Amino acid sequence: MKIGIPQKIAIVISLLVIIAGFYYISLISKNTFPYLKSKKEVLESTETTIEDLPKAFCPLCGVQVNENQVFKPIAVMIDNHNAALPHRGVNSACMIIETLAEGGITRLEAFYAHNHPKVVGPVRSARIYFVDFALSYKALLSHCGGSPEALSALFRLPIDLDQIRYSYPYFRDRSRRAPHNLYAQFDRFFTQAKNLGYDLTPVKEPFFMFGEETPISTTTVSKISVPFSSAAYTVSWIYDAQSDTFIRYTKKGKYVDELTNESPKVKNIVIVETKMGVKDNKGRLDIKISGKGKAWFIVGQYLAKGYWQKEIGKPFKFHRESGDEVVFKPGMIWIEILPEFSYPKFSN
Ligand SMILES: [Zn+2]
């Protein structure tokens, strides 16, 4: 086939447009992303160490880690009956949400996105509000059964790691009394999820704002009391200046992770107040987890009042009274969701 002059001109123009396009993209990326190095530059660099690995921030707790350390968030329902203490694997969590289940007993939902323990538990059952939190933070949910409402939601969701349906990650520790003796081997969650075809893409965008610079207020606090129900489930937090963290105490004394015998390093505590009411004859609770309500924030040693906002399936937004979003310190966030009029106490 013979190509005429007009076609030749068209081909030349097209090639010129493509070359100009590549040149423009390279200029843009150099200007906009000056930190981008070419593959050649990286290979020729003699200073490359492990420190030069691409950095990322954990979306849940804001700590800086190597990019390949961030994984798909996993949430685990942890039995918080006093007989279930000490817990295993809580110290590696990025964020923990604690609220009531039935009978005045609290339960924890521990979230992991950049660091995980070998073993976690004891694992207990889910409630619908814990399912919403898992969805809100794009997490897979490890649990053992649940309320009918929670199970019917989870049955249709590609996040379910129910021990009853998928036993592979779980084991019973016969040295502890049932039902407080179900644990999971954390790395098996990923194998199980992969086999089920779940999306394991890590989250890149942070769920909260993080920074080290300005204290949240000028009010310091050294002791916090969080009365969930009876004295048996009142939590106390005491400030430890050396680690700039709050140490948790329960009815059983100082709260430690059985794996390390150390307390979790809690940098941020949020106390959320919301409406709760018993909704069925099993004592299950209806907890209002959307809308807006009162909240307290303890960041480092400083206390500020403010409010929470949330939509179903979306993460919490935390604001100071001024309306500014709360800036947390990079590190563990512990969220206490209390019934209205429970009155947390703060002292120095
Ligand atoms: Zn984290």
Side-chain angles (χ1 to χ4, degrees):
M1 192 184 77
K2 221 180 153 193
I3 299 172
I5 289 177
Q7 283 93 332
K8 278 183 187 165
I9 291 170
I11 289 168
V12 169
I13 289 172
S14 310
L15 283 172
L16 283 174
V17 167
I18 290 167
I19 290 164
F22 275 120
Y23 182 61
Y24 179 65
I25 286 167
S26 82
L27 271 186
I28 291 274
S29 54
K30 267 193 187 141
N31 286 336
T32 322
F33 310 110
Y35 55 85
L36 283 184
K37 286 182 176 173
S38 71
K39 196 176 172 187
K40 193 166 170 273
E41 279 172 306
V42 171
L43 288 175
E44 282 173 358
S45 163
T46 51
E47 293 159 26
T48 307
T49 65
I50 193 140
E51 299 300 319
D52 296 327
L53 287 171
K55 291 286 186 259
F57 291 95
C58 173
L60 279 168
C61 70
V63 301
Q64 198 182 34
V65 289
N66 292 329
E67 199 176 55
N68 59 4
Q69 245 183 289
V70 180
F71 51 83
K72 171 78 176 175
I74 307 263
V76 184
M77 290 312 319
I78 296 184
D79 186 348
N80 198 38
H81 190 286
N82 280 317
L85 297 175
H87 293 147
R88 294 179 193 168
V90 278
N91 285 10
S92 314
C94 300
M95 174 175 85
I96 292 183
I97 300 180
E98 175 173 28
T99 195
L100 286 160
E102 296 79 59
I105 301 171
T106 48
R107 193 155 296 182
L108 310 184
E109 188 170 25
F111 288 78
Y112 302 81
H114 85 270
N115 190 21
H116 67 75
K118 260 186 131 81
V119 168
V120 64
V123 178
R124 282 305 283 274
S125 58
R127 297 291 174 270
I128 192 67
Y129 35 93
F130 290 122
V131 176
D132 174 77
F133 299 144
L135 287 171
S136 300
Y137 295 98
K138 301 189 185 333
L140 307 182
L141 182 59
S142 155
H143 62 108
C144 170
S147 64
E149 213 181 354
L151 292 183
S152 91
L154 284 166
F155 198 75
R156 291 172 280 121
L157 291 168
I159 64 163
D160 191 22
L161 293 172
D162 188 352
Q163 183 263 345
I164 294 166
R165 291 169 82 189
Y166 314 113
S167 63
Y168 172 69
Y170 301 91
F171 66 96
R172 294 260 172 207
D173 180 342
R174 303 290 167 201
S175 71
R176 301 272 290 260
R177 265 226 328 253
H180 315 294
N181 67 351
L182 179 69
Y183 296 89
Q185 289 184 55
F186 206 102
D187 54 2
R188 290 193 170 197
F189 288 145
F190 300 106
T191 319
Q192 180 71 70
K194 208 172 159 195
N195 290 343
L196 290 164
Y198 292 171
D199 180 9
L200 282 171
T201 316
V203 176
K204 290 216 164 110
E205 290 298 307
F207 289 109
F208 305 101
M209 280 177 76
F210 294 98
E212 288 276 13
E213 299 78 24
T214 330
I216 191 169
S217 73
T218 50
T219 311
T220 58
V221 62
S222 303
K223 191 173 179 227
I224 308 160
S225 172
V226 188
F228 278 100
S229 55
S230 62
Y233 288 94
T234 292
V235 175
S236 299
W237 294 94
I238 295 174
Y239 182 66
D240 173 55
Q242 207 187 351
S243 58
D244 190 29
T245 62
F246 272 86
I247 310 289
R248 176 183 166 87
Y249 291 81
T250 70
K251 194 190 170 221
K252 304 263 287 219
K254 190 176 179 183
Y255 178 85
V256 293
D257 187 325
E258 199 180 15
L259 298 182
T260 59
N261 209 27
E262 281 177 19
S263 296
K265 304 252 177 297
V266 182
K267 289 274 181 190
N268 311 279
I269 299 170
V270 177
I271 302 171
V272 158
E273 195 186 80
T274 194
K275 278 194 172 67
M276 296 188 189
V278 174
K279 69 171 174 188
D280 64 19
N281 59 7
K282 302 262 188 214
R284 294 192 188 103
L285 297 177
D286 197 6
I287 300 185
K288 185 174 173 277
I289 49 164
S290 63
K292 190 177 171 181
K294 225 192 267 183
W296 292 264
F297 309 102
I298 301 95
V299 179
Q301 200 190 354
Y302 297 91
L303 165 72
K305 261 175 91 171
Y307 59 96
W308 62 270
Q309 279 183 302
K310 192 183 176 318
E311 290 172 47
I312 293 297
K314 300 274 173 64
F316 276 106
K317 289 282 169 214
F318 295 125
H319 300 272
R320 288 156 55 185
E321 273 173 334
S322 62
D324 294 342
E325 202 172 330
V326 172
V327 180
F328 292 109
K329 283 193 173 212
M332 195 194 283
I333 302 178
W334 197 299
I335 303 176
E336 310 276 39
I337 304 181
L338 268 184
E340 261 186 328
F341 315 117
S342 288
Y343 306 112
K345 285 188 201 75
F346 304 98
S347 52
N348 253 314

mmCIF file of all heavy atoms in Angstrom, residues 306-343:
data_model
loop_
_atom_site.group_PDB
_atom_site.id
_atom_site.type_symbol
_atom_site.label_atom_id
_atom_site.label_comp_id
_atom_site.label_asym_id
_atom_site.label_seq_id
_atom_site.Cartn_x
_atom_site.Cartn_y
_atom_site.Cartn_z
ATOM 1 N N GLY A 306 -15.255 18.807 73.042
ATOM 2 C CA GLY A 306 -15.664 19.046 71.663
ATOM 3 C C GLY A 306 -16.822 18.151 71.290
ATOM 4 O O GLY A 306 -17.671 17.843 72.144
ATOM 5 N N TYR A 307 -16.836 17.740 70.064
ATOM 6 C CA TYR A 307 -17.958 16.899 69.618
ATOM 7 C C TYR A 307 -17.513 15.900 68.551
ATOM 8 O O TYR A 307 -16.483 16.078 67.910
ATOM 9 C CB TYR A 307 -19.119 17.756 69.112
ATOM 10 C CG TYR A 307 -18.768 18.680 67.953
ATOM 11 C CD1 TYR A 307 -19.007 18.297 66.635
ATOM 12 C CD2 TYR A 307 -18.201 19.938 68.173
ATOM 13 C CE1 TYR A 307 -18.691 19.134 65.580
ATOM 14 C CE2 TYR A 307 -17.879 20.777 67.124
ATOM 15 C CZ TYR A 307 -18.130 20.367 65.829
ATOM 16 O OH TYR A 307 -17.812 21.187 64.776
ATOM 17 N N TRP A 308 -18.306 14.830 68.415
ATOM 18 C CA TRP A 308 -18.066 13.823 67.371
ATOM 19 C C TRP A 308 -19.174 13.929 66.333
ATOM 20 O O TRP A 308 -20.279 14.390 66.621
ATOM 21 C CB TRP A 308 -18.016 12.412 67.956
ATOM 22 C CG TRP A 308 -19.300 11.961 68.628
ATOM 23 C CD1 TRP A 308 -19.629 12.124 69.948
ATOM 24 C CD2 TRP A 308 -20.440 11.292 68.024
ATOM 25 N NE1 TRP A 308 -20.882 11.608 70.203
ATOM 26 C CE2 TRP A 308 -21.403 11.087 69.043
ATOM 27 C CE3 TRP A 308 -20.728 10.844 66.731
ATOM 28 C CZ2 TRP A 308 -22.620 10.452 68.808
ATOM 29 C CZ3 TRP A 308 -21.952 10.217 66.491
ATOM 30 C CH2 TRP A 308 -22.880 10.030 67.521
ATOM 31 N N GLN A 309 -18.836 13.537 65.128
ATOM 32 C CA GLN A 309 -19.825 13.431 64.059
ATOM 33 C C GLN A 309 -19.563 12.145 63.304
ATOM 34 O O GLN A 309 -18.410 11.751 63.134
ATOM 35 C CB GLN A 309 -19.664 14.594 63.081
ATOM 36 C CG GLN A 309 -20.320 15.874 63.560
ATOM 37 C CD GLN A 309 -20.196 16.984 62.546
ATOM 38 O OE1 GLN A 309 -19.089 17.347 62.176
ATOM 39 N NE2 GLN A 309 -21.312 17.516 62.096
ATOM 40 N N LYS A 310 -20.619 11.493 62.846
ATOM 41 C CA LYS A 310 -20.412 10.250 62.107
ATOM 42 C C LYS A 310 -21.626 9.943 61.239
ATOM 43 O O LYS A 310 -22.750 10.218 61.632
ATOM 44 C CB LYS A 310 -20.165 9.098 63.086
ATOM 45 C CG LYS A 310 -19.660 7.833 62.410
ATOM 46 C CD LYS A 310 -19.503 6.696 63.405
ATOM 47 C CE LYS A 310 -19.093 5.396 62.728
ATOM 48 N NZ LYS A 310 -19.763 5.079 61.471
ATOM 49 N N GLU A 311 -21.337 9.385 60.081
ATOM 50 C CA GLU A 311 -22.404 8.818 59.257
ATOM 51 C C GLU A 311 -22.210 7.313 59.262
ATOM 52 O O GLU A 311 -21.089 6.837 59.429
ATOM 53 C CB GLU A 311 -22.258 9.297 57.798
ATOM 54 C CG GLU A 311 -22.569 10.753 57.580
ATOM 55 C CD GLU A 311 -22.190 11.163 56.152
ATOM 56 O OE1 GLU A 311 -22.545 10.450 55.204
ATOM 57 O OE2 GLU A 311 -21.517 12.194 56.030
ATOM 58 N N ILE A 312 -23.285 6.566 59.015
ATOM 59 C CA ILE A 312 -23.169 5.108 58.945
ATOM 60 C C ILE A 312 -22.177 4.743 57.837
ATOM 61 O O ILE A 312 -22.227 5.285 56.734
ATOM 62 C CB ILE A 312 -24.567 4.486 58.681
ATOM 63 C CG1 ILE A 312 -25.489 4.716 59.887
ATOM 64 C CG2 ILE A 312 -24.469 2.995 58.355
ATOM 65 C CD1 ILE A 312 -25.062 4.061 61.195
ATOM 66 N N GLY A 313 -21.259 3.843 58.169
ATOM 67 C CA GLY A 313 -20.273 3.383 57.181
ATOM 68 C C GLY A 313 -19.124 4.342 56.940
ATOM 69 O O GLY A 313 -18.271 4.091 56.094
ATOM 70 N N LYS A 314 -19.101 5.445 57.676
ATOM 71 C CA LYS A 314 -18.017 6.440 57.505
ATOM 72 C C LYS A 314 -17.288 6.615 58.822
ATOM 73 O O LYS A 314 -17.889 6.483 59.885
ATOM 74 C CB LYS A 314 -18.612 7.795 57.079
ATOM 75 C CG LYS A 314 -19.376 7.772 55.772
ATOM 76 C CD LYS A 314 -18.386 7.982 54.614
ATOM 77 C CE LYS A 314 -19.022 7.809 53.254
ATOM 78 N NZ LYS A 314 -20.056 8.790 52.971
ATOM 79 N N PRO A 315 -15.988 6.971 58.774
ATOM 80 C CA PRO A 315 -15.255 7.133 60.032
ATOM 81 C C PRO A 315 -15.745 8.310 60.876
ATOM 82 O O PRO A 315 -16.366 9.239 60.344
ATOM 83 C CB PRO A 315 -13.805 7.358 59.582
ATOM 84 C CG PRO A 315 -13.849 7.633 58.143
ATOM 85 C CD PRO A 315 -15.142 7.147 57.595
ATOM 86 N N PHE A 316 -15.438 8.254 62.149
ATOM 87 C CA PHE A 316 -15.742 9.367 63.047
ATOM 88 C C PHE A 316 -14.995 10.615 62.601
ATOM 89 O O PHE A 316 -13.856 10.531 62.127
ATOM 90 C CB PHE A 316 -15.240 9.051 64.470
ATOM 91 C CG PHE A 316 -16.183 8.237 65.300
ATOM 92 C CD1 PHE A 316 -15.920 6.890 65.559
ATOM 93 C CD2 PHE A 316 -17.320 8.807 65.858
ATOM 94 C CE1 PHE A 316 -16.771 6.131 66.348
ATOM 95 C CE2 PHE A 316 -18.182 8.058 66.657
ATOM 96 C CZ PHE A 316 -17.902 6.717 66.896
ATOM 97 N N LYS A 317 -15.618 11.762 62.794
ATOM 98 C CA LYS A 317 -14.918 13.049 62.669
ATOM 99 C C LYS A 317 -14.935 13.661 64.057
ATOM 100 O O LYS A 317 -15.997 13.739 64.694
ATOM 101 C CB LYS A 317 -15.639 13.981 61.686
ATOM 102 C CG LYS A 317 -15.515 13.532 60.237
ATOM 103 C CD LYS A 317 -14.148 13.894 59.683
ATOM 104 C CE LYS A 317 -13.906 13.226 58.336
ATOM 105 N NZ LYS A 317 -12.499 12.849 58.145
ATOM 106 N N PHE A 318 -13.769 14.075 64.521
ATOM 107 C CA PHE A 318 -13.663 14.630 65.869
ATOM 108 C C PHE A 318 -13.280 16.099 65.808
ATOM 109 O O PHE A 318 -12.302 16.456 65.145
ATOM 110 C CB PHE A 318 -12.633 13.841 66.664
ATOM 111 C CG PHE A 318 -13.031 12.405 66.911
ATOM 112 C CD1 PHE A 318 -12.195 11.353 66.527
ATOM 113 C CD2 PHE A 318 -14.244 12.098 67.519
ATOM 114 C CE1 PHE A 318 -12.551 10.034 66.764
ATOM 115 C CE2 PHE A 318 -14.610 10.774 67.754
ATOM 116 C CZ PHE A 318 -13.770 9.736 67.378
ATOM 117 N N HIS A 319 -14.057 16.925 66.515
ATOM 118 C CA HIS A 319 -13.821 18.373 66.491
ATOM 119 C C HIS A 319 -13.727 18.938 67.896
ATOM 120 O O HIS A 319 -14.435 18.494 68.801
ATOM 121 C CB HIS A 319 -14.978 19.094 65.776
ATOM 122 C CG HIS A 319 -15.162 18.660 64.365
ATOM 123 N ND1 HIS A 319 -14.494 19.236 63.319
ATOM 124 C CD2 HIS A 319 -15.927 17.672 63.834
ATOM 125 C CE1 HIS A 319 -14.851 18.638 62.190
ATOM 126 N NE2 HIS A 319 -15.715 17.683 62.471
ATOM 127 N N ARG A 320 -12.887 19.954 68.027
ATOM 128 C CA ARG A 320 -12.869 20.730 69.270
ATOM 129 C C ARG A 320 -14.067 21.680 69.259
ATOM 130 O O ARG A 320 -14.704 21.856 68.225
ATOM 131 C CB ARG A 320 -11.559 21.514 69.352
ATOM 132 C CG ARG A 320 -10.396 20.587 69.634
ATOM 133 C CD ARG A 320 -9.098 21.157 69.156
ATOM 134 N NE ARG A 320 -8.846 22.473 69.716
ATOM 135 C CZ ARG A 320 -7.819 23.235 69.389
ATOM 136 N NH1 ARG A 320 -6.947 22.825 68.498
ATOM 137 N NH2 ARG A 320 -7.655 24.414 69.935
ATOM 138 N N GLU A 321 -14.332 22.316 70.405
ATOM 139 C CA GLU A 321 -15.501 23.224 70.487
ATOM 140 C C GLU A 321 -15.431 24.325 69.431
ATOM 141 O O GLU A 321 -16.443 24.793 68.922
ATOM 142 C CB GLU A 321 -15.606 23.833 71.890
ATOM 143 C CG GLU A 321 -16.387 22.936 72.835
ATOM 144 C CD GLU A 321 -16.375 23.410 74.274
ATOM 145 O OE1 GLU A 321 -15.418 24.111 74.669
ATOM 146 O OE2 GLU A 321 -17.317 23.058 74.999
ATOM 147 N N SER A 322 -14.191 24.731 69.093
ATOM 148 C CA SER A 322 -14.001 25.781 68.082
ATOM 149 C C SER A 322 -14.428 25.333 66.682
ATOM 150 O O SER A 322 -14.559 26.140 65.775
ATOM 151 C CB SER A 322 -12.522 26.163 68.034
ATOM 152 O OG SER A 322 -11.765 25.023 67.638
ATOM 153 N N GLY A 323 -14.610 24.021 66.510
ATOM 154 C CA GLY A 323 -14.957 23.487 65.194
ATOM 155 C C GLY A 323 -13.755 22.880 64.484
ATOM 156 O O GLY A 323 -13.900 22.109 63.540
ATOM 157 N N ASP A 324 -12.542 23.234 64.953
ATOM 158 C CA ASP A 324 -11.325 22.677 64.331
ATOM 159 C C ASP A 324 -11.267 21.169 64.540
ATOM 160 O O ASP A 324 -11.631 20.672 65.614
ATOM 161 C CB ASP A 324 -10.059 23.279 64.976
ATOM 162 C CG ASP A 324 -9.934 24.764 64.701
ATOM 163 O OD1 ASP A 324 -10.604 25.236 63.753
ATOM 164 O OD2 ASP A 324 -9.190 25.450 65.427
ATOM 165 N N GLU A 325 -10.770 20.469 63.520
ATOM 166 C CA GLU A 325 -10.628 19.030 63.661
ATOM 167 C C GLU A 325 -9.511 18.727 64.668
ATOM 168 O O GLU A 325 -8.492 19.438 64.716
ATOM 169 C CB GLU A 325 -10.308 18.396 62.296
ATOM 170 C CG GLU A 325 -10.665 16.936 62.276
ATOM 171 C CD GLU A 325 -10.546 16.295 60.903
ATOM 172 O OE1 GLU A 325 -10.737 16.978 59.877
ATOM 173 O OE2 GLU A 325 -10.262 15.080 60.869
ATOM 174 N N VAL A 326 -9.708 17.695 65.467
ATOM 175 C CA VAL A 326 -8.705 17.319 66.472
ATOM 176 C C VAL A 326 -7.470 16.759 65.778
ATOM 177 O O VAL A 326 -7.580 15.944 64.862
ATOM 178 C CB VAL A 326 -9.301 16.271 67.441
ATOM 179 C CG1 VAL A 326 -8.237 15.704 68.367
ATOM 180 C CG2 VAL A 326 -10.439 16.889 68.239
ATOM 181 N N VAL A 327 -6.309 17.224 66.237
ATOM 182 C CA VAL A 327 -5.045 16.691 65.716
ATOM 183 C C VAL A 327 -4.479 15.744 66.773
ATOM 184 O O VAL A 327 -4.176 16.155 67.888
ATOM 185 C CB VAL A 327 -4.048 17.830 65.409
ATOM 186 C CG1 VAL A 327 -2.733 17.254 64.879
ATOM 187 C CG2 VAL A 327 -4.649 18.817 64.408
ATOM 188 N N PHE A 328 -4.383 14.464 66.413
ATOM 189 C CA PHE A 328 -3.885 13.453 67.350
ATOM 190 C C PHE A 328 -2.375 13.337 67.256
ATOM 191 O O PHE A 328 -1.775 13.677 66.238
ATOM 192 C CB PHE A 328 -4.521 12.092 67.046
ATOM 193 C CG PHE A 328 -5.994 12.034 67.337
ATOM 194 C CD1 PHE A 328 -6.920 11.966 66.302
ATOM 195 C CD2 PHE A 328 -6.455 12.057 68.642
ATOM 196 C CE1 PHE A 328 -8.286 11.923 66.568
ATOM 197 C CE2 PHE A 328 -7.819 12.012 68.920
ATOM 198 C CZ PHE A 328 -8.736 11.940 67.882
ATOM 199 N N LYS A 329 -1.776 12.794 68.334
ATOM 200 C CA LYS A 329 -0.354 12.465 68.273
ATOM 201 C C LYS A 329 -0.225 11.134 67.550
ATOM 202 O O LYS A 329 -1.037 10.221 67.804
ATOM 203 C CB LYS A 329 0.211 12.284 69.684
ATOM 204 C CG LYS A 329 0.465 13.574 70.393
ATOM 205 C CD LYS A 329 1.304 13.305 71.641
ATOM 206 C CE LYS A 329 1.705 14.628 72.251
ATOM 207 N NZ LYS A 329 2.990 14.590 72.893
ATOM 208 N N PRO A 330 0.781 10.960 66.704
ATOM 209 C CA PRO A 330 0.956 9.649 66.085
ATOM 210 C C PRO A 330 1.102 8.590 67.183
ATOM 211 O O PRO A 330 1.897 8.760 68.101
ATOM 212 C CB PRO A 330 2.249 9.799 65.281
ATOM 213 C CG PRO A 330 2.372 11.271 65.040
ATOM 214 C CD PRO A 330 1.785 11.930 66.257
ATOM 215 N N GLY A 331 0.310 7.546 67.098
ATOM 216 C CA GLY A 331 0.323 6.491 68.123
ATOM 217 C C GLY A 331 -1.081 6.006 68.389
ATOM 218 O O GLY A 331 -2.045 6.472 67.782
ATOM 219 N N MET A 332 -1.187 5.086 69.342
ATOM 220 C CA MET A 332 -2.467 4.410 69.551
ATOM 221 C C MET A 332 -3.589 5.377 69.978
ATOM 222 O O MET A 332 -3.380 6.267 70.788
ATOM 223 C CB MET A 332 -2.322 3.305 70.600
ATOM 224 C CG MET A 332 -3.505 2.336 70.583
ATOM 225 S SD MET A 332 -3.592 1.258 72.040
ATOM 226 C CE MET A 332 -2.340 0.068 71.675
ATOM 227 N N ILE A 333 -4.777 5.148 69.408
ATOM 228 C CA ILE A 333 -5.981 5.913 69.772
ATOM 229 C C ILE A 333 -6.945 4.937 70.446
ATOM 230 O O ILE A 333 -7.227 3.871 69.888
ATOM 231 C CB ILE A 333 -6.673 6.511 68.522
ATOM 232 C CG1 ILE A 333 -5.711 7.413 67.739
ATOM 233 C CG2 ILE A 333 -7.943 7.269 68.911
ATOM 234 C CD1 ILE A 333 -6.319 7.990 66.455
ATOM 235 N N TRP A 334 -7.413 5.315 71.621
ATOM 236 C CA TRP A 334 -8.380 4.462 72.324
ATOM 237 C C TRP A 334 -9.689 5.241 72.413
ATOM 238 O O TRP A 334 -9.730 6.305 73.018
ATOM 239 C CB TRP A 334 -7.859 4.087 73.718
ATOM 240 C CG TRP A 334 -8.592 2.919 74.316
ATOM 241 C CD1 TRP A 334 -9.919 2.848 74.614
ATOM 242 C CD2 TRP A 334 -8.029 1.651 74.686
ATOM 243 N NE1 TRP A 334 -10.226 1.607 75.138
ATOM 244 C CE2 TRP A 334 -9.079 0.857 75.199
ATOM 245 C CE3 TRP A 334 -6.745 1.097 74.640
ATOM 246 C CZ2 TRP A 334 -8.891 -0.442 75.673
ATOM 247 C CZ3 TRP A 334 -6.553 -0.203 75.111
ATOM 248 C CH2 TRP A 334 -7.615 -0.959 75.617
ATOM 249 N N ILE A 335 -10.742 4.703 71.798
ATOM 250 C CA ILE A 335 -12.040 5.400 71.777
ATOM 251 C C ILE A 335 -13.007 4.711 72.739
ATOM 252 O O ILE A 335 -13.300 3.517 72.584
ATOM 253 C CB ILE A 335 -12.631 5.425 70.342
ATOM 254 C CG1 ILE A 335 -11.633 6.083 69.366
ATOM 255 C CG2 ILE A 335 -13.976 6.160 70.322
ATOM 256 C CD1 ILE A 335 -12.074 6.061 67.907
ATOM 257 N N GLU A 336 -13.466 5.462 73.728
ATOM 258 C CA GLU A 336 -14.413 4.950 74.714
ATOM 259 C C GLU A 336 -15.795 5.481 74.352
ATOM 260 O O GLU A 336 -16.003 6.697 74.358
ATOM 261 C CB GLU A 336 -14.062 5.470 76.122
ATOM 262 C CG GLU A 336 -12.605 5.305 76.550
ATOM 263 C CD GLU A 336 -12.324 3.934 77.115
ATOM 264 O OE1 GLU A 336 -12.876 2.944 76.572
ATOM 265 O OE2 GLU A 336 -11.561 3.842 78.074
ATOM 266 N N ILE A 337 -16.734 4.591 74.036
ATOM 267 C CA ILE A 337 -18.084 5.061 73.701
ATOM 268 C C ILE A 337 -19.007 4.808 74.888
ATOM 269 O O ILE A 337 -19.358 3.671 75.193
ATOM 270 C CB ILE A 337 -18.601 4.395 72.403
ATOM 271 C CG1 ILE A 337 -17.592 4.655 71.265
ATOM 272 C CG2 ILE A 337 -19.994 4.915 72.048
ATOM 273 C CD1 ILE A 337 -17.988 4.081 69.938
ATOM 274 N N LEU A 338 -19.367 5.907 75.527
ATOM 275 C CA LEU A 338 -20.103 5.855 76.790
ATOM 276 C C LEU A 338 -21.575 6.205 76.595
ATOM 277 O O LEU A 338 -21.902 7.038 75.756
ATOM 278 C CB LEU A 338 -19.557 6.937 77.712
ATOM 279 C CG LEU A 338 -18.436 6.639 78.689
ATOM 280 C CD1 LEU A 338 -18.196 7.894 79.521
ATOM 281 C CD2 LEU A 338 -18.819 5.496 79.607
ATOM 282 N N PRO A 339 -22.467 5.610 77.440
ATOM 283 C CA PRO A 339 -23.861 6.038 77.383
ATOM 284 C C PRO A 339 -23.986 7.480 77.869
ATOM 285 O O PRO A 339 -23.193 7.922 78.709
ATOM 286 C CB PRO A 339 -24.575 5.090 78.348
ATOM 287 C CG PRO A 339 -23.565 4.195 78.924
ATOM 288 C CD PRO A 339 -22.214 4.569 78.441
ATOM 289 N N GLU A 340 -24.979 8.163 77.350
ATOM 290 C CA GLU A 340 -25.258 9.550 77.769
ATOM 291 C C GLU A 340 -25.373 9.646 79.286
ATOM 292 O O GLU A 340 -25.852 8.703 79.914
ATOM 293 C CB GLU A 340 -26.628 9.958 77.204
ATOM 294 C CG GLU A 340 -26.540 10.771 75.965
ATOM 295 C CD GLU A 340 -27.932 11.255 75.551
ATOM 296 O OE1 GLU A 340 -28.935 10.550 75.803
ATOM 297 O OE2 GLU A 340 -27.995 12.332 74.969
ATOM 298 N N PHE A 341 -24.991 10.754 79.803
ATOM 299 C CA PHE A 341 -25.085 11.069 81.239
ATOM 300 C C PHE A 341 -24.285 10.099 82.118
ATOM 301 O O PHE A 341 -24.672 9.806 83.229
ATOM 302 C CB PHE A 341 -26.559 11.116 81.695
ATOM 303 C CG PHE A 341 -27.450 11.869 80.744
ATOM 304 C CD1 PHE A 341 -28.491 11.230 80.076
ATOM 305 C CD2 PHE A 341 -27.208 13.214 80.481
ATOM 306 C CE1 PHE A 341 -29.293 11.924 79.178
ATOM 307 C CE2 PHE A 341 -28.021 13.902 79.609
ATOM 308 C CZ PHE A 341 -29.058 13.258 78.939
ATOM 309 N N SER A 342 -23.193 9.577 81.591
ATOM 310 C CA SER A 342 -22.350 8.687 82.422
ATOM 311 C C SER A 342 -21.261 9.458 83.145
ATOM 312 O O SER A 342 -20.662 8.944 84.078
ATOM 313 C CB SER A 342 -21.707 7.614 81.560
ATOM 314 O OG SER A 342 -22.666 6.701 81.168
ATOM 315 N N TYR A 343 -21.000 10.665 82.695
ATOM 316 C CA TYR A 343 -20.072 11.573 83.361
ATOM 317 C C TYR A 343 -18.672 11.028 83.600
ATOM 318 O O TYR A 343 -18.355 10.555 84.705
ATOM 319 C CB TYR A 343 -20.675 12.085 84.693
ATOM 320 C CG TYR A 343 -22.021 12.702 84.506
ATOM 321 C CD1 TYR A 343 -23.171 12.110 85.014
ATOM 322 C CD2 TYR A 343 -22.153 13.896 83.782
ATOM 323 C CE1 TYR A 343 -24.435 12.684 84.806
ATOM 324 C CE2 TYR A 343 -23.410 14.464 83.574
ATOM 325 C CZ TYR A 343 -24.540 13.843 84.091
ATOM 326 O OH TYR A 343 -25.766 14.392 83.888
#
